[in-house]
Amino acid sequence: MCGIIGYIGKEKCLPKIIHGLEALEYRGYDSAGIAYIENNNLKIIKEKGKIVNLKKLLDFETPSYLGIGHTRWATHGKANKTNAHPHSVGKFTIVHNGIIENYSELKTELVKAGYKFKSETDTEVACAMLDFIYKSEKDILKTLNKASNIFRGSYALGIICSDDDNTLYALRNTSPLIIATSENGNFIASDVPAILKFTNKYLLLNDHEIAKITANNITVYNQNLKEVKKEIKTFTGNLDAAKKDGYEHFMLKEIFEQKQVFQDTINYYFDGTIDSLAKNFEFLKKFQKFDIVACGSAYHAGLIAKSLLEEYANIPVNVEIASEYRYKKCFYDKDTLVILISQSGETADTLAALNKAKNDGITTLAIVNVLESSIARSADHIIYTKAGCEIAVATTKAYLSQLAVFSLLSIYLGYQNKIIKDEELKNIFTDLKNMPNLIEKTLDNANIYFNIGDKIYKNKQIFFMGRGIDYAIAMEASLKLKEISYINSVAYQAGELKHGTISLIDKNTPVIAIATDKNLIEKTISNIKEVKARGAYVIFVSNIVPSEKFYDEFIEVINIHPILESILTIIPLQLLAYKVAKDNNCDIDKPRNLAKSVTVE
Ligand code: F6R
């Protein structure tokens, strides 16, 4: 979702800004633009569609040493050139990530003051507001500070003022923004990949802080306009993470990285002993119930967690979609731990749910992938997943790392609460050790799943079904399929189909039925027979090889302790979704309309 990059320094800015925008492409966007200073003149170039369209309009040799660039994911107004950023009004030019919620109120005030607007965006209003305030304040820092008290909502702004065109300014509230520094100049960026080619040294801006950045200097001010000392951090992640390594798509590469991701996540918290789990997770013991809050796939990971924690640890778990939870009446108390799950650590609704719990004095735990992200920084406790940098918009390895964390938490709490006994614990530990090999074995069978994908990719709708934990997996598998292939897909509790949805089952409608829970498999098979009798093309996904042939295709999942089984079950379904999307020539890594990091409500 909207990417920002800005540079000021000794070197030409256009190549750096374009590189930064390309590195942020994974966030999702529908137009791109750039503003730069050339011989004291401001130039703005923007274009609808991909960055390649913008590149055609640029001369990379332009002697410009200060610029800001932006990829826009449309919120206010269509994806077109007029609405694309940067926006310029009077003396100010800005790029913006987030939403200024009171823009309509501000626009009315500005129209009365004589401002005219070309675009439909909240950003142009914010820009005009800066110009308006500046007319009376006559000081850039005071203007930005005043604006940050006037703007409501989330924003990260990169700002150039024509009265000081040797300086880059930045201001943020809630939306992510980092400031990076190198020998040859300084940067602002929405995320680390944008600047990694040039530097790995960066600092973080807190809400309502303002940065004044020149080629040699970065000064950060707080809300009282007092200078704040900032720690320069070093990003130690892998610089090669953003390369495809010969894979056709990042999504495929990331699916194949899951063996390593599982190992990295498990090894971070577990050395083969229950004591290591106790050391890392002991703080969980004092809570009687959990509220798990997240969006999308992270919410689906929460549903798996509910199944495991209730079954193995006897702890009641309430799982909620963050955009609902943030506005609903919550029945939490001091015995409740609110757990936020997020790959990016920047999802606006999840962050808002976290802040709500914190404001109500409830303890929070963030399970996040991105270090130092807003959610990680705000929560009382953090458990990092170790998925590394995920580029494809559709999550795979980060989701799997979330399941790995919940397996560990369920093992630890299950043992603490005496549901898992010594003998079973020993077996689970053996299975944990074997898991990387089993993940590899599953990945080795990719062609089996691809062949099934080839048989169903032309269908207009594909159903998933399952019971209990298998329903939670079905939901994630169905989301994966529909978001990247654009084929309508819905997941149902197997027993629920006959209460309405079965009327949609027609000859050859693909139904992917998941049954790994041995206590429920017979029930699910009965439901499969119901859809089969109505002509469905059944793909049966199970860890038990059936003796009876009630299906058209069979995906065998390797049998393992149920606390780990969903990890092995989701992999074939990720690969199946990938192949269906590929057969349909879809833009797999950047599905239409989607953004990697959803920083608006
Ligand atoms: C689906 C997907 C999304 C995210 C959701 C939450 O493939 O990636 O559904 O899971 O937007 O994002 P995070 O985990 O960053 O909070």
Side-chain angles (χ1 to χ4, degrees):
M1 187 156 280
C2 299
I4 289 179
I5 167 99
Y7 171 76
I8 180 161
K10 297 179 199 152
E11 297 181 329
K12 292 182 180 139
C13 73
L14 295 194
K16 289 189 167 27
I17 290 174
I18 290 296
H19 171 84
L21 290 182
E22 285 174 335
L24 294 173
E25 272 195 299
Y26 71 92
R27 296 166 71 88
Y29 69 103
D30 33 49
S31 61
I34 189 162
Y36 56 92
I37 302 289
E38 184 186 358
N39 301 325
N40 299 103
N41 290 318
L42 176 83
K43 301 268 167 67
I44 297 182
I45 301 183
K46 43 196 192 176
E47 196 47 276
K48 188 181 167 199
K50 298 288 175 199
I51 294 167
V52 61
N53 302 344
L54 175 69
K55 272 165 95 172
K56 286 184 197 146
L57 308 174
L58 298 174
D59 171 6
F60 285 92
E61 290 307 315
T62 304
S64 168
Y65 304 90
L66 164 59
I68 46 181
H70 188 265
T71 43
R72 172 175 186 254
W73 189 82
T75 55
H76 292 68
K78 285 196 230 43
N80 61 26
K81 191 167 158 177
T82 314
N83 290 332
H85 301 204
H87 288 280
S88 193
V89 181
K91 297 193 172 203
F92 284 82
T93 303
I94 68 171
V95 287
H96 167 216
N97 173 10
I99 290 181
I100 307 288
E101 285 169 1
N102 55 339
Y103 87 103
S104 168
E105 239 167 79
L106 300 179
K107 192 169 184 174
T108 310
E109 190 184 332
L110 290 162
V111 168
K112 272 194 208 142
Y115 282 89
K116 293 201 167 53
F117 293 92
K118 298 183 207 120
S119 77
E120 303 156 84
T121 63
D122 53 336
T123 306
E124 193 184 9
V125 174
C127 192
M129 200 65 210
L130 295 181
D131 187 66
F132 182 59
I133 301 170
Y134 185 67
K135 280 182 179 155
S136 51
E137 291 291 338
K138 297 184 173 58
D139 177 284
I140 300 172
L141 286 176
K142 282 187 188 157
T143 298
L144 300 186
N145 196 33
K146 196 161 176 189
S148 95
N149 290 320
I150 291 175
F151 296 157
R152 277 206 316 271
S154 57
Y155 48 86
L157 299 174
I159 304 153
I160 298 176
C161 175
S162 57
D163 278 355
D164 183 12
D165 64 8
N166 267 319
T167 308
L168 169 61
Y169 290 88
L171 172 66
R172 94 173 262 272
N173 180 42
T174 315
S175 295
L177 195 75
I178 58 163
I179 317 281
T181 180
S182 77
E183 269 185 17
N184 292 324
N186 296 319
F187 298 82
I188 58 170
S190 298
D191 203 354
V192 175
I195 48 89
L196 269 187
K197 188 174 165 198
F198 315 112
T199 177
N200 63 353
K201 304 268 183 258
Y202 69 101
L203 59 89
L204 296 164
L205 271 193
N206 289 331
D207 285 350
H208 299 290
E209 284 181 343
I210 301 168
K212 180 175 177 182
I213 307 158
T214 60
N216 308 312
N217 223 350
I218 299 171
T219 321
V220 176
Y221 299 90
N222 65 15
Q223 273 186 295
N224 301 321
L225 291 183
K226 292 267 167 315
E227 210 177 307
V228 194
K229 280 275 153 280
K230 286 279 171 178
E231 178 200 349
I232 304 280
K233 296 175 181 278
T234 304
F235 182 80
T236 50
N238 181 359
L239 295 183
D240 291 331
K243 291 195 194 134
K244 281 189 200 152
D245 287 345
Y247 286 96
E248 196 176 341
H249 295 100
F250 281 114
M251 182 177 176
L252 191 61
K253 175 185 171 229
E254 288 162 2
I255 291 172
F256 275 87
E257 281 170 357
Q258 293 183 115
K259 173 187 173 189
Q260 191 61 46
V261 164
F262 178 86
Q263 250 167 342
D264 291 348
T265 304
I266 297 293
N267 292 347
Y268 199 72
Y269 299 104
F270 176 63
D271 65 5
T273 65
I274 194 76
D275 291 348
S276 56
L277 296 180
K279 192 175 117 224
N280 288 304
F281 305 136
E282 197 155 27
F283 70 93
L284 294 169
K285 263 178 21 189
K286 66 172 197 263
F287 299 99
Q288 308 299 315
K289 51 195 179 204
F290 298 147
D291 273 7
I292 296 183
V293 188
C295 303
S297 294
Y299 167 77
H300 296 156
L303 293 176
I304 301 272
K306 175 181 168 73
S307 265
L308 297 181
L309 289 162
E310 289 185 344
E311 177 74 21
Y312 292 99
N314 225 11
I315 297 176
V317 180
N318 171 37
V319 191
E320 304 258 7
I321 296 275
S323 55
E324 297 290 321
Y325 190 81
R326 63 184 291 187
Y327 295 117
K328 74 183 270 285
K329 186 167 176 182
C330 291
F331 293 90
Y332 40 37
D333 55 29
K334 64 173 184 16
D335 294 331
T336 315
L337 177 68
V338 174
I339 304 178
L340 299 305
I341 315 172
S342 177
Q343 185 287 125
S344 62
E346 300 294 348
T347 301
D349 285 318
T350 312
L351 182 58
L354 186 156
N355 287 332
K356 168 182 169 149
K358 272 181 74 173
N359 289 339
D360 289 342
I362 306 298
T363 313
T364 55
L365 159 66
I367 298 184
V368 281
N369 194 44
V370 177
L371 291 182
E372 304 274 10
S373 50
S374 302
I375 292 174
R377 283 192 278 151
S378 303
D380 299 307
H381 302 275
I382 312 173
I383 296 177
Y384 280 115
T385 50
K386 306 299 282 180
C389 181
E390 193 176 59
I391 301 285
V393 166
T395 182
T396 51
K397 62 174 183 169
Y399 168 80
L400 185 130
S401 68
Q402 290 158 357
L403 299 192
V405 161
F406 282 115
S407 295
L408 289 184
L409 300 190
S410 307
I411 293 165
Y412 169 63
L413 290 169
Y415 187 70
Q416 277 299 319
N417 294 348
K418 303 193 169 33
I419 320 275
I420 297 175
K421 302 278 175 2
D422 286 332
E423 190 56 29
E424 188 173 7
L425 186 72
K426 226 169 97 191
N427 293 338
I428 296 175
F429 283 179
T430 309
D431 282 354
L432 263 175
K433 226 167 119 193
N434 288 336
M435 272 297 276
N437 285 338
L438 302 184
I439 293 175
E440 187 172 338
K441 259 188 161 169
T442 308
L443 291 165
D444 284 347
N445 286 334
N447 277 333
I448 299 179
Y449 322 131
F450 286 170
N451 288 339
I452 298 175
D454 292 342
K455 291 183 187 163
I456 60 170
Y457 79 98
K458 285 190 182 146
N459 283 275
K460 297 272 174 286
Q461 53 182 355
I462 297 176
F463 292 94
F464 283 81
M465 65 193 239
R467 284 172 181 262
I469 197 163
D470 292 319
Y471 171 59
I473 301 167
M475 286 180 78
E476 172 58 9
S478 169
L479 176 64
K480 216 76 317 170
L481 179 81
K482 73 186 139 208
E483 69 180 324
I484 60 168
S485 74
Y486 314 146
I487 293 174
N488 182 33
S489 171
V490 190
Y492 282 92
Q493 292 95 336
E496 188 61 16
L497 275 152
K498 58 177 156 303
H499 297 287
T501 312
I502 205 161
S503 68
L504 293 170
I505 305 291
D506 203 353
K507 190 164 174 343
N508 290 332
T509 307
V511 175
I512 302 178
I514 307 167
T516 64
D517 182 336
K518 298 191 175 59
N519 298 319
L520 297 170
I521 189 164
E522 283 184 4
K523 304 281 172 206
T524 304
I525 290 176
S526 301
N527 302 132
I528 296 173
K529 289 181 178 168
E530 289 159 8
V531 294
K532 184 76 195 133
R534 283 147 186 94
Y537 187 78
V538 172
I539 298 150
F540 183 54
V541 182
S542 181
N543 46 7
I544 294 176
V545 185
S547 49
E548 197 188 340
K549 189 149 187 293
F550 49 80
Y551 54 84
D552 298 279
E553 305 287 344
F554 178 50
I555 292 180
E556 184 173 358
V557 181
I558 300 169
N559 202 3
I560 193 140
H561 192 284
I563 226 161
L564 296 163
E565 190 75 272
S566 4
I567 294 172
L568 295 180
T569 312
I570 194 64
I571 295 170
L573 300 170
Q574 293 169 337
L575 287 163
L576 182 75
Y578 171 83
K579 190 60 168 55
V580 169
K582 186 162 151 35
D583 288 349
N584 281 300
N585 291 319
C586 294
D587 190 354
I588 293 182
D589 286 335
K590 286 174 255 142
R592 69 181 178 214
N593 306 336
L594 289 180
K596 182 70 183 161
S597 185
V598 184
T599 50
V600 295
E601 189 171 349

